[in-house]
Amino acid sequence: MTFFVTGTDTDCGKTLISSALLTAAKGETLGFKPIASGCAVTENGLRNSDALTLIEASTIKLPYEDINPYAFEPAIAPHIAAADKGVDLLPNRIAAQLKMAEYVGADFCVIEGAGGWRLPLSQGHFLSEVVQSMQLPVILVVGMKLGCLNHALLTAEAIRADGLNIAGWIANQVDPDMANQQENLAFLKDTLKAPFIGYVPYLAEPSASAVAEYLDLTQLS
């Protein structure tokens, strides 16, 4: 099964949650980060820490370029970084590159987005169009902090308006000092109307294996 992992915004914990999902899943696993900016220059080419984290958590090992085909050095919006390099980020090309998941024997696959649901691509397109074209179920990561209720509800509305299923959602405590955390979590449970996969508390030293303990993949629809 292949899922697309999106979040309420940047730094909501998509990579940590995606790697934990891969760790918690049974069978052969594979994670993709199709688009990434803020990559380091190495002797092997540009490398993104999020993509490397997914590779480490996956049991199926593919060449880096297959996992992260669009890598950009500056930590800016990917469509701007792509334009600076003369690269067109087009939904059909991205979808074609991701279809390899069907041929490598993955039992559980996650495709991690960048930013939020409406990440701009080239020529007026958005990354959400890739998810639509592939008809992927979506896992929503909610970064628990002030403002997350609005971000979570708007993101869920946009996903459903695009005709896609929210397979499940995860609350990730990114702000350890968030006021009324329990009340906010209860509101989201009542309002999002999607399977609740788990609540991840704030962890001083987070890891995929530690976060995986808080996830219940049997809730995925």
Side-chain angles (χ1 to χ4, degrees):
M1 190 65 174
T2 299
F3 298 91
F4 184 85
V5 178
T6 193
T8 42
D9 55 8
T10 301
D11 296 329
C12 67
K14 293 187 301 298
T15 301
L16 177 62
I17 296 299
S18 294
S19 60
L21 288 166
L22 292 168
T23 301
K26 300 182 184 300
E28 295 296 310
T29 61
L30 181 61
F32 289 95
K33 179 79 173 182
I35 303 171
S37 56
C39 298
V41 178
T42 76
E43 61 183 13
N44 297 316
L46 292 174
R47 294 293 184 265
N48 176 262
S49 60
D50 292 350
L52 293 174
T53 297
L54 296 179
I55 289 171
E56 182 179 357
S58 302
T59 63
I60 297 174
K61 305 301 180 182
L62 297 180
Y64 180 89
E65 291 73 17
D66 289 340
I67 300 302
N68 176 210
Y70 293 99
F72 304 101
E73 182 181 355
I76 59 177
H79 74 288
I80 298 175
D84 289 343
K85 289 295 185 180
V87 175
D88 280 332
L89 295 175
L90 298 177
N92 60 334
R93 295 179 185 174
I94 298 169
Q97 289 168 312
L98 292 174
K99 286 186 180 297
M100 73 177 70
E102 301 173 5
Y103 307 109
V104 295
D107 299 302
F108 187 91
C109 176
V110 296
I111 300 171
E112 183 193 333
W117 181 247
R118 287 283 187 250
L119 180 84
L121 300 180
S122 303
Q123 301 178 24
H125 293 286
F126 297 91
L127 185 56
S128 53
E129 294 175 47
V130 176
V131 191
Q132 281 182 290
S133 69
M134 299 178 71
Q135 283 295 292
L136 296 174
V138 180
I139 295 174
L140 173 61
V141 179
V142 178
M144 297 296 290
K145 61 181 181 180
L146 184 64
C148 71
L149 303 185
N150 177 64
H151 292 163
L153 296 183
L154 288 178
T155 301
E157 286 177 13
I159 293 168
R160 291 178 172 128
D162 286 340
L164 296 166
N165 174 52
I166 301 177
W169 71 280
I170 297 161
N172 182 38
Q173 193 71 48
V174 296
D175 179 4
D177 300 316
M178 180 185 186
N180 301 105
Q181 178 271 335
Q182 287 296 327
E183 291 88 342
N184 282 279
L185 181 60
F187 175 84
L188 288 172
K189 285 182 177 180
D190 289 340
T191 311
L192 281 178
K193 306 301 181 185
F196 181 57
I197 305 173
Y199 166 74
V200 180
Y202 181 82
L203 301 174
E205 297 182 2
S207 67
S209 58
V211 172
E213 296 296 322
Y214 294 98
L215 305 182
D216 181 6
L217 270 60
T218 64
Q219 296 300 313
L220 285 171
S221 63

